[in-house]
Amino acid sequence: MLPSRHFGDLKPESWLGLLDATYAIILTLMVIELPALVTDLIDHFRQHHDSLSLLIRLLCVHVLGYVAMFMIVYEIWSIHRSILTISQPSRHRTIFAGAILAVASFMPPLVQMANGYRQAYILSGDQQDRAVIEVIRVFVYLALLLIYFLLQLSARRSLLRIEEGGSAEADHDLHSLISVARNRGILVVVVYLFSLVFPLGGPFYLVSFALLAYFGADLLRLGRRCLLPRSGSR
């Protein structure tokens, strides 16, 4: 049964507290396994005396993978929190919020498994580890796509209630959040398709997604500035 059946209509601050706590735990769990993974990696190199360049490569892969996913989850939290802050309490908002948190909670184990199997594959070259990495990668992109889809649905549902008697500012903010969630979902699909056409391995495409999500507008403005003088000179 939904919480409203037990406690009545939940106040916005009740959901915000749960939201902040859940995402804080997700972000913490993604990082908390990193020291153990790095320690195992260093112990392996001490025993097998592998090259220092390979050790540095693996350390960079682990750190970049965690940083990229941290940035992605942090932005998901900001979008999700903004929707809950603007929207009015409703049964649908409760359902969407619970579903989004449930899917987001799978991120820490997916990140941990991806890094563990990636490390095993780089050290051993076992193709079975490579196959497992590809399966995990599919689940990561599917989870992200589902989260952005649910965020968009939640914002759209909240927009319908706002339009019935809300402020123009809230209406504008929800339209902006819908656009952001939709664009992120499209970006997930594009990045994944590029990763299939040009497989580079490691967290390269995950890092690319995070950078485009954060700085895509700035990069677009920079590109226009570089192209406009040329087009003007013609």
Side-chain angles (χ1 to χ4, degrees), residues 15-183:
W15 259 117
L16 293 178
L18 175 63
L19 191 80
D20 293 343
T22 303
Y23 279 106
I25 293 172
I26 291 172
L27 293 173
T28 302
L29 289 176
M30 286 197 302
V31 179
I32 203 169
E33 290 294 327
L34 184 58
L37 193 62
V38 171
T39 300
D40 292 340
L41 177 62
I42 294 174
D43 290 340
H44 172 86
F45 273 82
R46 285 177 175 175
Q47 295 174 7
H48 297 83
H49 304 287
D50 290 325
S51 64
L52 181 61
S53 60
L54 185 57
L55 173 61
I56 295 175
R57 175 191 171 190
L58 279 170
L59 290 176
C60 291
V61 165
H62 292 330
V63 172
L64 287 175
Y66 276 105
V67 170
M69 187 55 72
F70 190 98
M71 293 171 63
I72 293 169
V73 174
Y74 177 79
E75 192 201 28
I76 289 173
W77 165 78
S78 66
I79 298 172
H80 197 178
R81 198 179 202 283
S82 298
I83 294 173
L84 291 184
T85 302
I86 300 170
S87 61
Q88 302 173 2
S90 67
R91 179 172 177 270
H92 292 89
R93 191 183 76 162
T94 301
I95 294 173
F96 283 125
I100 293 168
L101 290 178
V103 178
S105 65
F106 283 98
M107 289 302 173
L110 287 174
V111 171
Q112 293 168 14
M113 288 189 296
N115 279 282
Y117 279 101
R118 187 180 294 116
Q119 176 171 302
Y121 171 71
I122 293 176
L123 293 176
S124 65
D126 191 340
Q127 292 301 317
Q128 291 184 348
D129 291 331
R130 175 64 181 272
V132 174
I133 294 171
E134 292 302 316
V135 172
I136 295 173
R137 198 167 65 89
V138 170
F139 276 103
V140 169
Y141 282 102
L142 285 177
L144 289 176
L145 186 61
L146 180 57
I147 288 173
Y148 290 121
F149 177 71
L150 291 173
L151 286 171
Q152 186 179 351
L153 287 182
S154 179
R156 288 187 180 278
R157 186 69 188 185
S158 300
L159 181 63
L160 293 176
R161 294 176 63 87
I162 290 292
E163 289 176 345
E164 294 174 359
S167 64
E169 182 181 358
D171 182 270
H172 176 269
D173 291 340
L174 282 172
H175 273 103
S176 298
L177 291 168
I178 291 171
S179 177
V180 170
R182 181 181 63 248
N183 292 340

Side-chain angles (χ1 to χ4, degrees), residues 64 67-73 75 148 184 187 191 203-216:
L64 287 175
V67 170
M69 187 55 72
F70 190 98
M71 293 171 63
I72 293 169
V73 174
E75 192 201 28
Y148 290 121
R184 295 297 182 271
L187 185 60
V191 169
F204 172 80
Y205 283 105
L206 202 61
V207 173
S208 300
F209 175 85
L211 292 177
L212 288 172
Y214 274 75
F215 308 110

